[in-house]
Amino acid sequence: MRRLAVFASGNGSNFQAIADAIKEGNLEADICLVVCDREDAYVMERARMENIPVFSFSAKQYENKAGYEREILDELHIHGVEFIILAGYMRLIGSTLLGEYSHRIVNIHPSLLPCFPGKDAIGQAFKAEVKETGVTIHYVDEGMDTGPIIAQEAVPILNGDTKDILQKRIQELEHELYPKILHQLCQEKQHT
Ligand code: GAR
């Protein structure tokens, strides 16, 4: 059973989809830690309801990224974490975590990368009036939403869509795709 840490900054609907897939037997893994950089993030409440330990921190209380990432790394060691799963974690991963977990950090992003990286990818696509956008799951490197792509699926932007409708359609796909791809990755990594 692979040991995962989920990193999130907000609502945590992807965290929930992963936790539900585990409970339903569709993903052979354990979430042994949630890492969160915002005290008011709803994902913390979700983690409590699932009885999963949380490490929360406030970046501004540290001198630099290495400062808080060293503490995160200690927590990952304590909980025996093998894979870091980014699920709406709105910070760049630095060299402290990449050094130890390179090729074992996965991110989900709501666009067809390399289009629309960074913040508000759904709003960016909506404003650009493209015909389709989508969801990308990729390994994380030092860049912003760069790194080798693992899976990508398109979502059409339809006449009459609002940004909220588009966001709902994209998130529904995320909740289906992320657990499925994580399951495949966990299976593959069992054999290596
Ligand atoms: C998700 O749509 C995820 O793809 C996006 O943040 C949202 C988090 O939602 N991530 C990024 O934009 C990363 N650059 P959630 O908190 O409900 O899972």
Side-chain angles (χ1 to χ4, degrees):
M1 200 74 99
R2 291 305 191 183
R3 296 178 68 76
L4 316 179
V6 175
F7 286 33
S9 304
N11 176 22
S13 68
N14 279 285
F15 157 78
Q16 194 67 59
I18 295 166
D20 290 348
I22 291 172
K23 285 189 283 189
E24 287 156 14
N26 296 325
L27 166 54
E28 266 179 60
D30 268 338
I31 304 174
C32 44
L33 182 68
V34 167
V35 172
C36 181
D37 62 332
R38 290 186 60 127
E39 204 56 60
D40 59 346
Y42 186 58
V43 70
M44 308 244 281
E45 183 60 31
R46 292 184 190 268
R48 271 182 222 112
M49 287 189 287
E50 299 294 336
N51 285 315
I52 295 172
V54 175
F55 175 72
S56 70
F57 68 96
S58 169
K60 58 179 186 290
Q61 285 172 357
Y62 296 83
E63 214 169 286
N64 52 32
K65 193 182 286 287
Y68 63 77
E69 285 202 344
R70 270 195 295 268
E71 288 200 10
I72 294 174
L73 201 53
D74 286 346
E75 290 293 319
L76 299 179
H77 289 157
I78 289 168
H79 293 277
V81 169
E82 298 170 281
F83 291 94
I84 296 174
I85 310 304
L86 307 185
Y89 180 69
M90 294 310 201
R91 285 180 188 280
L92 278 182
I93 299 292
S95 54
T96 306
L97 289 176
L98 275 169
E100 186 166 326
Y101 281 89
S102 76
H103 302 294
R104 292 189 293 143
I105 309 179
V106 180
N107 183 40
I108 189 162
H109 184 77
S111 77
L112 294 174
L113 290 171
C115 295
F116 312 123
K119 288 201 173 126
D120 193 22
I122 299 172
Q124 291 183 53
F126 195 68
K127 267 201 210 122
E129 297 184 358
V130 288
K131 292 228 169 344
E132 63 172 21
T133 181
V135 172
T136 303
I137 295 169
H138 65 98
Y139 288 111
V140 171
D141 63 13
E142 57 288 334
M144 162 97 75
D145 299 316
T146 54
I149 290 173
I150 302 165
Q152 241 174 0
E153 264 189 45
V155 170
I157 302 182
L158 305 174
N159 280 342
D161 271 357
T162 60
K163 189 183 153 193
D164 284 354
I165 293 171
L166 179 61
Q167 175 156 349
K168 190 162 178 282
R169 198 178 301 127
I170 287 180
Q171 288 228 314
E172 276 167 9
L173 173 61
E174 288 189 330
H175 300 159
E176 189 191 309
L177 195 61
Y178 214 4
K180 191 172 98 187
I181 297 300
L182 290 177
H183 180 66
Q184 286 169 10
L185 286 180
C186 288
Q187 299 286 100
E188 277 169 27
K189 300 277 180 183
Q190 307 275 22
H191 303 301
T192 56

